[in-house]
Amino acid sequence: MRRREFSALLFLAATGRPHATSAQTSPRISRIAVLMPYGEGEVSDRTRSAFEKSLRDLGWIDGRNVRIEYRLAGGDFGRLRSLAKEAVKLDPDVIVALNTPLVAAVLDETRSISVVFGLVSDPVGSGFAQSYARPGGNATGFAYGGSGLASKWLELLKEISPAIARVAVLFNPDAAPGGGAYYLHPIEAAAPSFAITPIAAPVRNPGEIARVIAGLEGQPPSGLIVTADYFVGIQRELIITLAARHRVAAIYSWREIGGGLMSYSQDEPPGPQLAA
C-alpha cells in the first residue's frame, strides 16, 4: 500500500469514524490538523494534493465531511513549537505531523489527541511509541528505517568512485533523530569494511553546509552522505549544487532530496546522483 493511502487509513483509524458511503451521510464534520516543515511550494503542494486525494478516495471530502487545517513551518525550526500549540488549540480529531521534530513538539503539547506521523526515523528511540508491535500512547505512523542502509550507502559511494577514502555524514543535530547518532553510528560501524574514514558533519545553517562540502574537495577523494532530517531536506538544492561544484560524490537518504539532479565524482565524468 502506498504511503499516502496508508496515511488516509490511519486518519480513519485514529478518528474511529466510518468511511466511504457512511462518511458521506454523517452530519458531523471531522477536523484534521496537518503540520508540515516546508513552506509554500512544490513539495507542500504535492503532499497536500496526495493526502486530499487519498481521503477523497475513501469518501472524505474537505469542506463537506472533514475540514483540513494546514500549518507550515517554512523551514523555520523555531516555529515548530508554536505550530504544535496552535494545532492542539484547534482541538482536531487527529493531528498529522510529518517528521521527528514536529511529532516531538506535538507530543509535548498533547497526549490525548491522536497523532499520525509521516516520516519518523526512530519512533521508539524518540519516545513516540513503546514498540513497533504495540505503539501504545496516542501516536502511530510510518518508521523510516534509513539507518539499516548504512553499509549500502557506503557501497554505492565506492561504486561511484572506488578511490573514495573518507565520507562526511551531513546532519542537523537539532533535527536529526538522536542528534544525528541514529545514522552516524551505523555508518561509523560499517565504514572500516570499505576502507573509508567517516567524518561527522553537523550543520545548522547554509554557511556550515558550504564549509563542509568545500572541505571535501581534493585529496584524498571524498564522498558525502546526506541523512534524513528536515533541515538538510529543505537545503537540498544548495547541497546538490555544492556537491556538483566541488565534484563530491553524494548519496541521499530520500529520492526527493537527490532525485533528478546531477552529481560529479572526483575521477569520473558527470553522472546522475544516486538517491538511496
Side-chain angles (χ1 to χ4, degrees):
M1 183 178 294
R2 293 182 179 179
R3 202 158 52 209
R4 68 180 189 181
E5 294 166 343
F6 190 52
S7 294
L9 291 175
L10 283 174
F11 162 66
L12 297 175
T15 59
R17 321 302 300 186
H19 65 83
T21 304
S22 297
Q24 294 172 359
T25 59
S26 172
R28 183 183 185 278
I29 297 181
S30 298
R31 175 175 287 182
I32 316 171
V34 180
L35 307 184
M36 295 192 286
Y38 325 109
E40 296 288 350
E42 181 183 358
V43 175
S44 294
D45 291 345
R46 285 203 315 265
T47 302
R48 183 180 305 192
S49 176
F51 183 66
E52 292 182 10
K53 181 182 183 305
S54 293
L55 288 176
R56 286 196 303 271
D57 291 345
L58 293 164
W60 295 90
I61 312 299
D62 187 25
R64 181 183 300 174
N65 54 3
V66 67
R67 179 174 296 123
I68 306 174
E69 302 276 359
Y70 292 97
R71 298 293 185 273
L72 307 181
D76 184 353
F77 189 83
R79 294 190 60 202
L80 302 188
R81 189 165 298 280
S82 62
L83 289 183
K85 290 179 180 294
E86 187 175 343
V88 171
K89 286 182 180 178
L90 291 171
D91 192 27
D93 295 276
V94 63
I95 297 173
V96 177
L98 292 194
N99 61 12
T100 297
L102 279 170
V103 177
V106 170
L107 292 181
D108 281 345
E109 299 298 325
T110 181
R111 291 286 174 168
S112 58
I113 299 173
S114 296
V115 177
V116 174
F117 48 82
L119 284 174
V120 168
S121 297
D122 186 17
V124 176
S126 299
F128 304 156
Q130 297 173 10
S131 70
Y132 288 100
R134 298 182 180 277
N138 63 317
T140 189
F142 294 96
Y144 173 76
S147 68
L149 295 173
S151 62
K152 180 57 68 176
W153 290 339
L154 293 167
E155 180 183 348
L156 288 171
L157 281 173
K158 276 291 191 178
E159 290 183 8
I160 294 172
S161 182
I164 282 178
R166 57 178 184 158
V167 169
V169 183
L170 198 71
F171 62 92
N172 183 315
D174 299 324
Y182 180 74
Y183 296 103
L184 180 62
H185 289 172
I187 292 171
E188 290 175 332
S193 64
F194 296 94
I196 287 176
T197 299
I199 304 168
V203 293
R204 288 186 169 89
N205 58 62
E208 292 179 350
I209 292 173
R211 285 192 291 274
V212 166
I213 298 177
L216 296 174
E217 186 173 16
Q219 298 296 326
S222 304
L224 178 69
I225 294 177
V226 183
T227 64
D229 72 58
Y230 96 95
F231 173 78
V232 297
I234 289 171
Q235 299 295 328
R236 62 192 178 278
E237 292 187 12
L238 172 65
I239 294 169
I240 293 168
T241 299
L242 291 172
R245 179 182 304 163
H246 295 285
R247 305 186 70 82
V248 174
I251 292 290
Y252 299 87
S253 54
W254 301 331
R255 180 182 298 275
E256 287 82 357
I257 297 179
L261 293 163
M262 304 299 287
S263 175
Y264 306 88
S265 69
Q266 286 283 103
D267 52 0
E268 297 173 7
Q273 195 116 337
L274 293 184

